[in-house]
Each structure stands twice: as structure tokens, then as C-alpha cells.
């Protein structure tokens, strides 16, 4: 994407009522006004579902279309990417979809304890190199952040093309004695995955599918 186009999207994001772009400083000083108040933002008590590293936000918009009784928030640091999802949600008048521009590392500072019901992690960079372990979105320190913001029975969904990340996550969950509700290492070949897994495809997923890569899925709990 050219820089002119990016600038145009950044400008438009500022005018979108479903886009929230807090300053890092505001979050770090615990002055982010929506922390603990997301229900007020949506104007209802419905459960809150996050998509981490949402890119263009296919899951956020796709799930919001299907379930008006839940609120969905796509999170990514790249605003020019989620501009697509935010624009679609506005065009389709989906009041239950929003986008938050922030670092996932700050997740437990933008949501309060027990404020979130479900988390989707869609095709994250697997961060295979050992020195990149700290950036893996299912490492122990991210799991602790998710535990903090999730309700007691909250669920995490990981959909990835990376056999490495799939295996790493299963191994870690097993080692920690956490509950794996469902796992499938090739969702389009082996039956049994929920409709959300089969019925919504992301931008990155479509590219992996064209290359014939199996898509994996794990649904798990962190407490
Ligand atoms: C490989 S892309 C996948 C995008 C989308 N989920 C899909 O499947 O098409 C990973 C996304 O995660 C975002 N991301 C990676 N690390 C992040 C972080 N620490 N905080 C916020 N966003 C992050 C990137 O900007 C990118 O859009």
C-alpha cells in the first residue's frame, strides 16, 4: 500500500466512531477511559470478544454479522489494515464491531479484570526464532494477561497455519495443566470444527490456503 493511501486511511480512521486509538502514554498512566467501561461504549451488557492481531478484521466483522448479542473488538497496531474492517462495519451498520489500535502487550491495561469473554488469535506471526519467544502471542506471559482480563470460563481460540505455533501452544497448555477444549491440526480435512472456524477466512488464511497449507485450530481455557 502506498504512503498516500495509508495517510488517507489514517485520516478516515480518526473520523470513524467505531475506531479507538489511545495514546500509549494515556494507557501506561492508567488514564484510558474505556478500561472497565467497554459496556458503556457499546451501550449494553453483552459479552465482549476480542480479535488479537486482527489485520483487516475479518473475524471481528464476520462474527459481529452472525451474533448481534456479543460485542467484538479487533485489535492491531496497524490502523491502515483494520481501516478495511472498520469501514465495512460502518457501511453494514454493525453496532457491535469496533477496532482498537494498540499493542497487544498492553491488553491488560486497556481491559479490566473479567471484562472479556472470548479471545480470537488469528494467524499471528509464529515468532519461531528462540530469541523471539517473548513475542509469541501464546507464550506464558501473554496467557497470564489473557487470564487477567477473561471471565472465569473465558475461552481462547487460536487459528494458525503454523504447525510450530500449534504444537508449541498445545505443549505449553499441557505442561501448565490448562484445559484444551478442542484441537484440530487440519480443520478443512478433519471434521468437527465449529462453524466460526470453517466459515470465516482471513486475508492471510486465504494466501496459506492457496499454497495448500493445512489450517489448525485450538480452543482452550487459561484458568
Ligand atoms: C500475520 S498478520 C495476521 C492478520 C490477520 N489476523 C489475518 O489473518 O489476515 C498479524 C497481525 O498482527 C499484528 N500484530 C503483530 N504483533 C502485534 C502486537 N504486538 N500488537 C498489535 N498488533 C500486532 C500485525 O500488525 C498484523 O496485522
Amino acid at each position: 500500500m502506498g504512503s498516500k493511501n495509508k495517510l488517507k486511511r489514517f485520516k478516515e480512521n480518526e473520523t470513524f466512531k467505531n475506531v479507538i486509538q489511545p495514546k500509549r502514554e494515556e494507557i501506561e498512566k492508567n488514564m484510558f477511559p474505556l478500561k472497565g467501561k467497554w459496556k458503556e461504549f457499546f451501550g449494553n451488557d453483552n459479552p465482549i470478544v476480542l480479535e488479537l492481531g486482527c489485520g483487516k478484521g475479518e473475524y471481528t466483522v464476520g462474527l459481529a454479522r452472525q451474533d448481534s448479542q456479543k460485542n467484538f473488538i479487533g485489535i492491531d497496531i496497524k490502523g491502515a489494515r483494520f481501516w478495511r474492517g472498520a469501514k465495512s462495519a460502518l457501511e453494514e451498520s454493525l453496532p457491535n464491531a469496533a477496532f482498537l489500535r494498540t499493542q497487544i502487550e498492553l491488553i491488560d491495561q486497556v481491559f479490566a479484570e473479567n471484562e472479556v469473554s472470548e479471545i480470537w488469535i488469528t494467524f499471528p506471526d509464529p515468532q519461531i526464532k528462540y530469541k523471539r519467544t517473548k513475542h509469541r502471542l501464546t507464550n506464558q506471559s501473554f496467557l497470564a494477561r489473557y487470564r487477567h482480563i477473561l471471565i472465569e470460563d473465558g475461552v481462547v481460540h487460536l487459528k494458525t497455519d503454523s504447525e510450530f505455533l500449534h504444537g508449541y501452544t498445545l505443549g505449553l497448555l499441557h505442561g501448565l495443566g490448562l484445559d484444551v477444549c478442542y484441537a484440530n491440526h487440519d480443520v478443512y480435512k478433519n471434521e468437527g470444527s465449529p462453524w466460526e472456524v470453517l466459515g470465516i477466512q482471513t486475508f492471510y488464511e486465504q494466501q496459506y490456503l492457496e499454497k495448500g497449507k493445512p489450517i489448525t485450530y485450538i480452543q482452550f481455557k487459561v484458568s
Side-chain angles (χ1 to χ4, degrees):
M1 193 191 311
S3 56
K4 244 185 173 173
N5 221 344
K6 267 192 191 167
L7 272 179
K8 202 174 146 223
R9 290 182 174 194
F10 289 150
K11 281 232 152 68
E12 266 193 70
N13 274 348
E14 283 169 22
T15 69
F16 288 169
K17 63 177 195 283
N18 60 355
V19 169
I20 305 114
Q21 309 195 76
K23 291 199 173 70
R24 194 184 171 103
E25 204 186 62
E26 184 186 3
I27 298 172
E28 285 175 345
K29 287 187 176 159
N30 205 15
M31 286 162 64
F32 178 53
L34 288 177
K35 182 180 176 185
K37 302 268 174 22
W38 282 96
K39 290 194 171 172
E40 287 174 25
F41 174 82
F42 287 105
N44 60 50
D45 267 355
N46 293 342
I48 289 173
V49 181
L50 309 182
E51 182 188 9
L52 304 184
C54 68
K56 298 183 183 203
E58 286 87 353
Y59 263 82
T60 301
V61 174
L63 293 169
R65 276 185 196 129
Q66 296 292 330
D67 194 346
S68 62
Q69 298 308 301
K70 288 182 183 170
N71 298 316
F72 299 89
I73 306 172
I75 300 177
D76 206 293
I77 198 61
K78 296 199 172 156
R81 285 196 183 165
F82 68 54
W83 168 90
R84 179 62 271 163
K87 194 164 175 72
S88 299
L90 289 175
E91 283 170 352
E92 293 177 38
S93 302
L94 294 172
N96 58 334
F99 289 86
L100 172 66
R101 185 177 171 276
T102 195
Q103 292 279 351
I104 298 161
E105 283 77 357
L106 301 175
I107 195 92
D108 51 348
Q109 296 178 61
V110 288
F111 294 94
E113 223 176 318
N114 300 321
E115 197 169 20
V116 173
S117 292
E118 279 175 67
I119 295 177
W120 280 84
I121 310 173
T122 52
F123 298 89
D125 186 325
Q127 309 286 6
I128 291 173
K129 286 189 184 149
Y130 180 69
K131 64 176 184 197
R132 301 289 298 173
T133 313
K134 68 172 186 215
H135 298 291
R136 260 177 233 154
L137 290 185
T138 56
N139 72 22
Q140 233 174 306
S141 113
F142 276 108
L143 293 186
R145 292 180 178 103
Y146 305 155
R147 185 174 302 120
H148 182 75
I149 61 172
L150 277 168
I151 57 170
E152 195 173 320
D153 245 4
V155 168
V156 183
H157 310 261
L158 171 68
K159 196 179 183 193
T160 175
D161 64 297
S162 167
E163 284 171 34
F164 167 79
L165 189 67
H166 182 76
Y168 164 83
T169 306
L170 278 179
L172 186 62
L173 295 171
H174 182 69
L176 294 170
L178 294 171
D179 188 8
V180 175
C181 313
Y182 181 78
N184 191 326
H185 66 269
D186 192 346
V187 297
Y188 297 109
K189 202 162 140 197
N190 304 320
E191 285 178 19
S193 293
W195 76 263
E196 299 97 308
V197 174
L198 303 172
I200 301 175
Q201 288 174 352
T202 74
F203 179 70
Y204 273 77
E205 177 173 5
Q206 283 160 21
Q207 296 180 344
Y208 298 132
L209 285 171
E210 275 167 28
K211 290 182 188 151
K213 288 189 85 178
I215 303 300
T216 76
Y217 171 69
I218 311 175
Q219 186 184 115
F220 60 94
K221 291 188 180 166
V222 282
S223 52

